[in-house]
Amino acid sequence: MVYLTLVFLTVLSCILFEYSKLTVSLKELITSYRTQFGIMSDKTMDDETKQKYILQHVSKQLILIGKLVLGIALFIAPFFSLFFLQHLDERLNPDILVTWWGILIPIVTVLFFIIFKRNYGNLLRNR
């Protein structure tokens, strides 16, 4: 029961990670940083123009960092639900996440999720 709940929470976390588009936000943030460093090293612009462009990128970066933080919080939220589920069943103690089985089961579940997702995607493309 406890390990089945852990598998369910891991699959839920994988689905939330997939739909949160964290990788897209991270790529946009890296691109924004590269653009900002390019603006700072540009010798043809005057300081006021540089300051205007850098301020635009900083505000964009703050929004993207906020998205990343919220996405990561959403990604780990299913595991935080163990604190609430503990009140329903004492075996659902969050301490199971630091046992060998508590570490191994989510890793294996994520691997099976990735394999299933890739094979299921290939199956749908062949139809």
Side-chain angles (χ1 to χ4, degrees), residues 31-48:
T31 303
S32 179
Y33 280 131
R34 285 183 182 152
T35 305
Q36 181 180 357
F37 288 127
I39 291 170
M40 289 170 42
S41 63
D42 191 3
K43 302 290 183 190
T44 60
M45 283 195 241
D46 61 345
D47 288 340
E48 291 178 17

Side-chain angles (χ1 to χ4, degrees), residues 41-87:
S41 63
D42 191 3
K43 302 290 183 190
T44 60
M45 283 195 241
D46 61 345
D47 288 340
E48 291 178 17
T49 309
K50 283 184 186 180
Q51 184 179 9
K52 183 179 101 176
Y53 285 130
I54 289 174
L55 193 58
Q56 288 174 353
H57 282 282
V58 167
S59 61
K60 180 181 178 182
Q61 290 165 1
L62 288 175
I63 291 170
L64 289 172
I65 289 172
K67 280 184 180 180
L68 284 174
V69 168
L70 289 175
I72 291 170
L74 184 67
F75 172 64
I76 61 174
F79 295 108
F80 280 129
S81 69
L82 284 174
F83 289 105
F84 302 112
L85 293 174
Q86 181 182 7
H87 297 293

Side-chain angles (χ1 to χ4, degrees), residues 70-116:
L70 289 175
I72 291 170
L74 184 67
F75 172 64
I76 61 174
F79 295 108
F80 280 129
S81 69
L82 284 174
F83 289 105
F84 302 112
L85 293 174
Q86 181 182 7
H87 297 293
L88 299 175
D89 187 2
E90 286 297 322
R91 294 177 294 172
L92 294 174
N93 191 344
D95 292 337
I96 64 170
L97 293 174
V98 294
T99 63
W100 282 108
W101 286 109
I103 294 170
L104 187 63
I105 288 174
I107 291 172
V108 170
T109 305
V110 167
L111 290 175
F112 278 128
F113 181 81
I114 292 170
I115 291 169
F116 177 76

